[in-house]
């Protein structure tokens, strides 16, 4: 079972808290990714993916904050159905990129620590 499915009960009733926490974690990823000793192309792809993720989270947060009533409920349902799976995929992909190209396992351990602490 993924750590994201494990964390859903903590956030299922407050989507904004989930988005804010996810934004904090993704900021840690962006800060860390610039230092990972991996091929430049992969590092750039990793950084770009998480920067775009942070931008999308900001847009979604604003849209959710502005929404009310039935539209807000629909947005929350959409989020709960899609976002955790997308993030879980991105986290697995990042771990594979780091694990496959970086001999220093401290970076993979840091990556995992960022996402293991996501459920805190």
């Amino acid at each position: 079972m993924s750590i994201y499915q494990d964390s859903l009960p903590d956030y299922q009733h407050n989507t904004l808290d989930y988005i804010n926490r996810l934004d904090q974690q993704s900021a840690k990823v962006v800060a860390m990714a610039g230092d990972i000793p991996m091929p430049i192309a992969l590092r750039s792809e990793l950084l770009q993916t998480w920067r775009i993720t942070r931008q999308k989270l900001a847009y979604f947060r604003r849209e959710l904050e502005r929404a009310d009533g039935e539209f807000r409920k629909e947005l929350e349902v959409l989020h709960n159905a899609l976002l955790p799976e997308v993030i879980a995929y991105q986290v697995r992909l990042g771990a594979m990129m780091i694990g496959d190209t970086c001999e220093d396992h401290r970076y993979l351990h840091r990556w995992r620590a960022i996402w293991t602490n996501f459920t805190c």
Side-chain angles (χ1 to χ4, degrees), residues 2 5 11 17-18 24 29 31 33-34 38 44 46 51 54 64 68 72 76 81 90 96 98 102 107 116 120:
S2 80
Q5 292 171 347
Y11 295 107
D17 284 350
Y18 177 82
Q24 291 171 358
V29 166
M38 60 191 323
S44 295
L46 187 65
R51 285 180 181 144
R54 296 193 72 221
L64 191 59
D68 60 0
R72 183 183 177 104
E76 289 176 348
Q90 286 180 212
M96 285 190 297
I98 295 167
C102 183
Y107 293 96
T116 298
C120 295

Side-chain angles (χ1 to χ4, degrees), residues 33 36 38 42-50 94 97 111:
I36 300 173
M38 60 191 323
L42 282 178
R43 184 175 41 228
S44 295
E45 182 178 335
L46 187 65
L47 279 166
Q48 181 179 5
T49 297
W50 286 98
M97 291 167 73
W111 178 268

Side-chain angles (χ1 to χ4, degrees), residues 21-37:
R21 181 72 171 134
L22 182 54
D23 185 54
Q24 291 171 358
Q25 297 304 101
S26 60
K28 292 177 185 178
V29 166
V30 170
M32 175 192 159
D35 297 331
I36 300 173

Side-chain angles (χ1 to χ4, degrees), residues 51-105:
R51 285 180 181 144
I52 290 169
T53 296
R54 296 193 72 221
Q55 289 173 340
K56 289 178 182 178
L57 289 170
Y59 292 131
F60 190 81
R61 181 186 309 111
R62 282 199 318 248
E63 185 176 31
L64 191 59
E65 287 172 338
R66 293 175 185 160
D68 60 0
E70 193 62 33
F71 182 60
R72 183 183 177 104
K73 289 178 186 175
E74 290 175 9
L75 286 174
E76 289 176 348
V77 167
L78 178 66
H79 160 74
N80 288 327
L82 299 176
L83 187 57
E85 293 301 321
V86 171
I87 297 301
Y89 172 75
Q90 286 180 212
V91 170
R92 283 192 308 272
L93 184 61
M96 285 190 297
M97 291 167 73
I98 295 167
D100 289 351
T101 62
C102 183
E103 293 180 16
D104 187 345
H105 294 286

